[in-house]
Amino acid sequence: YVSRQRGDAARSGEQWQQALALANIDRARLQNLNLLATKWQWQVEQVATQNLIFERDPSDHVLLTELLRYYRDAHRTSDLKRVLSLYVGNSTDPSDEAVAQAYYSFLLDEDVARAHVIARNAFVLAPADPVRRMVYVFSLWKQHRAAEAVPLVNEMRADAKSELVSIPLIRATIEAQVGAFDAAEASLAQFKEESALPEESTLAAKISGQLAARHETVK
């Protein structure tokens, strides 16, 4: 803390890493460091400490929520999937956390086989849930089964919202794959770039490019 106050951020960072290494095997000490980082408003150090605590107790749902909020605000998809994977573990229970993990798996193209199973099972258990429905729709798109997803998309409430998935983007992926290009353009126009994850933005740009290429072909 003194090094940081003196403007020596590099030295302060080294000393913090030494403190983490010394406290690494003692949860109580890690909690103390977390309290200090929180009090001093050292967000980077706080998150690093919370990660170590969470790795030792991945059942801590309160800490999971904090980490997910931080990584979502920072648009870090890989870290979102990582902490969810720690929490879910090897469980095949299609919980909300497993559904979120499946969505990030699809975005990252990682562990997609397991993600397909989770997405299907979660939808079967709660087909009216808009998040589970759209993650399953995204799963069908990844498998080039967009035609099967069309009725699922059409049955969605017009006012359905989700903090996890971009509903307009997933609609656009399905509509573009089945050739409903005008509808895809309308859906893509509702996509919110400012709150999107990098992989979502990349996907939106890909669909936009396909739609633009179609217009050129028509011309």
Side-chain angles (χ1 to χ4, degrees):
Y1 178 81
V2 171
S3 297
R4 187 74 57 94
Q5 293 300 102
R6 290 174 175 173
D8 191 350
R11 178 60 177 158
S12 175
E14 292 173 1
Q15 292 166 331
W16 185 266
Q17 290 302 317
Q18 291 170 7
L20 280 182
L22 289 170
N24 199 14
I25 59 173
D26 190 326
R27 181 182 172 86
R29 290 186 177 185
L30 285 174
Q31 292 285 10
N32 287 337
L33 288 178
N34 182 47
L35 290 173
L36 285 175
T38 303
K39 179 180 179 180
W40 296 340
Q41 297 183 344
W42 290 6
Q43 190 174 50
V44 173
E45 288 80 1
Q46 180 185 358
V47 171
T49 308
Q50 288 177 336
N51 270 289
L52 288 177
I53 296 171
F54 189 68
E55 286 171 7
R56 280 147 189 77
D57 182 14
S59 65
D60 189 332
H61 194 271
V62 173
L63 190 50
L64 170 70
T65 301
E66 292 182 20
L67 289 170
L68 290 178
R69 185 184 304 115
Y70 173 79
Y71 288 129
R72 183 77 197 203
D73 290 344
H75 306 289
R76 290 164 59 174
T77 315
S78 293
D79 284 311
L80 287 166
K81 178 177 177 291
R82 175 180 59 80
V83 296
L84 282 166
S85 296
L86 287 171
Y87 183 82
V88 172
N90 296 321
S91 173
T92 56
D93 177 36
S95 61
D96 290 342
E97 291 78 16
V99 172
Q101 180 199 30
Y103 178 63
Y104 297 134
S105 295
F106 292 140
L107 288 178
L108 294 164
D109 278 323
E110 297 175 356
D111 304 320
V112 291
R114 183 175 186 275
H116 286 312
V117 174
I118 292 293
R120 184 191 66 237
N121 292 346
F123 173 71
V124 169
L125 283 176
D129 184 280
V131 173
R132 294 181 176 220
R133 176 178 289 256
M134 293 312 283
V135 171
Y136 180 53
V137 165
F138 198 37
S139 171
L140 292 174
W141 176 78
K142 295 287 286 187
Q143 299 174 74
H144 301 282
R145 296 164 58 192
E148 297 176 46
V150 170
L152 301 181
V153 171
N154 291 340
E155 292 167 6
M156 278 283 292
R157 300 192 316 269
D159 61 345
K161 296 180 180 180
S162 168
E163 294 183 0
L164 173 66
V165 303
S166 172
I167 293 177
L169 176 61
I170 295 179
R171 281 182 180 274
T173 61
I174 296 300
E175 290 160 348
Q177 198 170 86
V178 298
F181 301 115
D182 291 340
E185 287 184 347
S187 294
L188 203 57
Q190 300 175 41
F191 173 66
K192 296 181 179 179
E193 178 75 34
E194 63 276 7
S195 60
L197 295 170
E199 294 78 9
E200 290 174 329
S201 297
T202 299
L203 179 56
K206 178 182 178 181
I207 297 171
S208 180
Q210 292 172 347
L211 295 174
R214 170 185 169 271
H215 282 307
E216 288 301 317
T217 300
V218 170
K219 289 180 181 179

